[in-house]
Amino acid sequence: MILHELISYDILRLIWWALLGVILIGFALTDGFDLGVGTMMPFVARNDMERRIVINTVGPVWEGNQVWLILAGGAIFAAWPPLYAVSFSGFYLAMFAILFALILRPVGFKYRSKLEDTRWRSAWDWALFIGGFVPALIFGVAIGNVLQGVPFRFDPDLRVYYEGTFFGLLNPYAILCGLVSVTMLVTHGATWLALKTDGNIAQRARNYGAVAALLTIVLFALAGWLLEPMGYRITSTVEPLGPSNPLLKTAMAEHGAWLSSYDIRPWIWIGPALGFIGALGAAILLKTRGEVSALLCSSLSIFGIISTVGLSMFPFILPSSIDPHSSLTVWDTSSSHMTLFIMLVVTVIFLPIILAYTSYVYHVLWGKVDQKMIDPGDHSY
């Protein structure tokens, strides 16, 4: 037996669908609190020293956290080539806006404290706010559009055509999903600040974070309620072992298809349940000073909210609103059997190493950041 046939093609496709979700959740859990801290900084820090303390809570780890975004892009490129082609071409301007905002972060971190000038530092403070708020918003907007369906199609030669516009992405439901993303990550950033700081900064973070957590619950519930008419369904025979050609199936938009998934697979209710429970727990624990537990609850909420999207849409990955037959699913979008197997072997070897090293870094950097650590003569930001 050939080695890669030890795991069948359909199982490998499922594994990589799950791994893609794990990578996206990993990005939200790590770089997510960076984005949340950047978004909150103008509000939780009232003077220059407080802003430096806030920046230095994420300064040593933000670069490592952002690697998860690069990993997500690489995984999509290698494991799901059609998904990469459609999303990175159709969402080109949105991706450019995200990259521009993310580029502002390292520049802001490095240059903010180079000059002792109020206007100079204030400008970079707002750059860091943009670098946190804009990606958090646009990532959520992208998810909102995915749930509704994206205007693309394939021709018979599998050339992809995107027929939407950047401003078409900014529809009301997508913006609502963007606000869910912002409040979710602001909550996560607040729990991080509550854990890493004390005094006035920590107290403001607790107050803002509790409000953000409650807003997350309300907006997430509203997004779920408005999801009721949306959805897509495969109308032909499902071929889990079939070739990666989206046009070999037939599909259609169907009212309520996403929510009907919960009748077919009741166990997926665990996704939204964790989203609500985690956010509520974070709100309560932020007010009662349960710092570590609040961070864990915020992480649980992120896990639940992101997994809700994937579980509701399965087996769809990216539905097409103008030609449902071109929709991308788990069964017709992946790389070859051999490619997925080799990638899985590499992942099994190296992902535990990365996780172990990341855990060690956080262990070494454990503890609160205060004014005593911000010495003008050292390497702090």
Side-chain angles (χ1 to χ4, degrees), residues 9 24 56 65 84 124 134 143 172 201 208 213 316 339 348 352 368:
Y9 198 12
L24 293 175
N56 278 277
N65 294 341
Y84 183 91
W124 287 117
V134 170
I143 293 298
I201 298 175
Y208 286 121
F316 287 88
T339 300
V348 168
K368 294 186 180 293

Side-chain angles (χ1 to χ4, degrees), residues 1-255:
M1 178 183 292
I2 300 174
L3 186 60
H4 76 278
E5 293 182 352
L6 292 174
I7 305 178
S8 64
Y9 198 12
D10 56 335
I11 297 300
L12 278 172
R13 283 169 160 169
L14 278 175
I15 290 173
W16 274 102
W17 171 78
L19 281 174
L20 178 59
V22 168
I23 292 170
L24 293 175
I25 292 170
F27 169 67
L29 291 179
T30 55
D31 207 43
F33 68 72
D34 295 351
L35 300 178
V37 167
T39 303
M40 295 181 65
M41 192 176 71
F43 311 103
V44 299
R46 304 293 172 81
N47 57 54
D48 185 66
M49 179 53 68
E50 289 186 348
R51 294 186 185 99
R52 291 190 67 189
I53 291 173
V54 169
I55 290 172
N56 278 277
T57 63
V58 298
V61 297
W62 73 268
E63 289 177 290
N65 294 341
Q66 200 156 289
V67 169
W68 285 91
L69 178 60
I70 300 171
L71 180 60
I76 292 173
F77 173 78
W80 309 98
L83 176 61
Y84 183 91
V86 173
S87 58
F88 279 74
S89 59
F91 295 166
Y92 179 79
L93 290 178
M95 294 289 183
F96 184 83
I98 290 173
L99 290 176
F100 175 78
L102 290 177
I103 288 170
L104 285 177
R105 292 204 301 163
V107 179
F109 285 138
K110 300 298 183 182
Y111 281 89
R112 182 194 180 277
S113 297
K114 295 295 183 182
L115 296 178
E116 294 187 9
D117 180 82
T118 302
R119 288 180 298 178
W120 170 271
R121 294 188 173 185
S122 177
W124 287 117
D125 289 341
W126 284 106
L128 291 171
F129 168 78
I130 294 172
F133 176 79
V134 170
L137 178 69
I138 295 182
F139 282 131
V141 167
I143 293 298
N145 280 280
V146 169
L147 287 166
Q148 297 174 89
V150 178
F152 72 92
R153 61 181 176 84
F154 289 102
D155 70 7
D157 296 320
L158 291 183
R159 290 176 297 189
V160 63
Y161 295 88
Y162 181 80
E163 300 184 8
T165 64
F166 172 75
F167 292 103
L169 298 175
L170 302 177
N171 56 78
Y173 185 78
I175 293 175
L176 172 62
C177 291
L179 293 177
V180 173
S181 175
V182 170
T183 57
M184 176 183 75
L185 296 184
V186 165
T187 302
H188 201 45
T191 62
W192 178 255
L193 284 178
L195 178 66
K196 295 291 290 183
T197 64
D198 50 24
N200 292 331
I201 298 175
Q203 185 56 50
R204 295 183 196 118
R206 293 187 193 98
N207 293 336
Y208 286 121
V211 173
L214 295 177
L215 284 174
T216 300
I217 294 172
V218 173
L219 294 175
F220 184 41
L222 180 60
W225 179 62
L226 294 176
L227 189 67
E228 195 274 333
M230 303 176 195
Y232 293 79
R233 181 171 64 86
I234 298 174
T235 55
S236 60
T237 302
V238 176
E239 297 289 348
L241 296 171
S244 290
N245 184 342
L247 298 182
L248 295 181
K249 70 171 183 313
T250 59
M252 61 177 289
E254 183 178 85
H255 184 100

